[in-house]
């Protein structure tokens, strides 16, 4: 830590000397040449190695990593136990989501989530109904990032209920369909055919 602070002081001093030299030039005075000791100081500051540690934070524990390692894949791998229905999700949406996405998921300051076929109300935004390729990743995104003010605060059942509501509101599933780890991967999204899976091999594989 002492070495790091010393390095910072050296760098700050070098920058100050450069700034003062620039002031002389800006005031119309003859520019002074830097002394050999100043040149040596600048050279030293530029070549100082990074410290082994900045002394901030600590390594994350496996338990902390596990709490964030909750991704759900397009095929449904990673979906947790639980289930949801559109009718329950509608109530949750009104309480926790409508302020950002509008009543019924149409509008709001953070954009629409629901497509509409009404030509007088048809919106140009990309929504779950016209753009999202996989239903399982709707669950993943809601669980990970919503509500905007309290991401990660929803229970798995609340996320399943919201997912069911949004799929039903977009006309993708019937209202009484129960959404869970078995049924959600079977939902085919209208926009899936618009996407081409990246099946390239030979490079690094990211989970």
């Amino acid at each position: 830590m002492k070495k790091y602070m010393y390095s910072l002081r050296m760098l700050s001093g070098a920058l100050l000397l450069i700034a003062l030299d620039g002031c002389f030039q800006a005031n119309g005075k003859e520019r002074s040449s830097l002394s050999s000791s100043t040149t040596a100081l600048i050279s030293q500051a530029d070549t100082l190695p990074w410290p082994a540690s900045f002394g901030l934070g600590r390594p994350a524990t496996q338990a902390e990593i596990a709490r964030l390692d909750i991704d759900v894949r397009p095929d449904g791998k990673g979906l947790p136990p639980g289930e949801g229905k559109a009718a329950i999700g509608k109530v949750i949406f009104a309480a926790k989501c409508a302020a950002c996405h509008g009543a019924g998921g149409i509008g709001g300051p953070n954009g629409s989530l629901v497509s509409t076929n009404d030509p007088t109300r048809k919106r140009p935004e990309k929504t779950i109904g016209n753009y999202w390729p996989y239903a399982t990743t709707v669950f993943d995104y809601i669980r990970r990032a919503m509500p905007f003010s309290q991401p990660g605060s929803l229970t798995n059942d609340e996320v399943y209920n919201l997912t069911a509501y949004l799929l039903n509101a977009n006309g993708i599933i019937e209202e009484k369909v129960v959404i869970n780890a078995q049924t959600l991967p079977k939902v085919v999204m209208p926009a899936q055919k618009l996407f081409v899976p990246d099946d390239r091999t030979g490079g690094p594989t990211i989970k």
Side-chain angles (χ1 to χ4, degrees):
M1 188 65 184
K2 289 182 178 178
K3 183 179 179 181
Y4 174 60
M5 294 302 295
Y6 175 74
S7 299
L8 284 179
R9 291 192 186 102
M10 296 280 285
L11 180 60
S12 299
L15 292 175
L16 177 61
L17 289 171
I18 293 172
L20 290 173
D21 189 60
C23 290
F24 278 113
Q25 191 174 21
N27 290 331
K29 297 180 179 178
E30 183 179 354
R31 179 174 179 170
S32 61
S33 60
L34 297 177
S35 66
S36 58
S37 60
T38 302
T39 303
L41 180 62
I42 294 173
S43 176
Q44 185 178 3
D46 285 343
T47 57
L48 286 175
W50 287 100
S53 171
F54 289 99
L56 302 173
R58 60 171 175 76
T61 66
Q62 288 301 315
E64 291 169 332
I65 294 173
R67 283 200 295 273
L68 299 176
D69 188 15
I70 58 172
D71 62 296
V72 176
R73 302 184 190 184
D75 63 2
K77 187 173 182 178
L79 283 169
E83 64 179 30
K85 296 179 180 178
I88 303 174
K90 184 177 182 179
V91 177
I92 299 171
F93 187 91
K96 298 188 177 184
C97 313
C100 290
H101 297 290
I106 301 175
N110 287 358
S112 296
L113 302 175
V114 176
S115 304
T116 172
N117 294 324
D118 183 346
T120 64
R121 300 180 60 195
K122 192 170 183 179
R123 302 179 63 89
E125 293 97 338
K126 294 173 181 176
T127 68
I128 290 173
N130 65 19
Y131 187 71
W132 213 280
Y134 302 106
T136 53
T137 53
V138 175
F139 178 98
D140 180 81
Y141 188 80
I142 294 173
R143 179 168 66 158
R144 187 183 304 280
M146 297 290 124
F148 186 74
S149 58
Q150 292 180 301
S153 63
L154 299 171
T155 66
N156 290 335
D157 279 349
E158 286 179 314
V159 179
Y160 273 120
N161 285 316
L162 285 170
T163 302
Y165 169 67
L166 291 171
L167 293 176
N168 173 251
N170 278 284
I172 298 170
I173 65 170
E174 299 294 329
E175 183 178 5
K176 293 185 179 180
V177 171
V178 177
I179 287 297
N180 54 39
Q182 288 71 48
T183 59
L184 187 57
K186 297 177 182 177
V187 175
V188 179
M189 302 296 282
Q192 185 173 332
K193 58 187 176 184
L194 304 178
F195 288 77
V196 178
D198 184 355
D199 57 357
R200 292 173 293 180
T201 59
T205 300
I206 300 174
K207 178 182 175 184

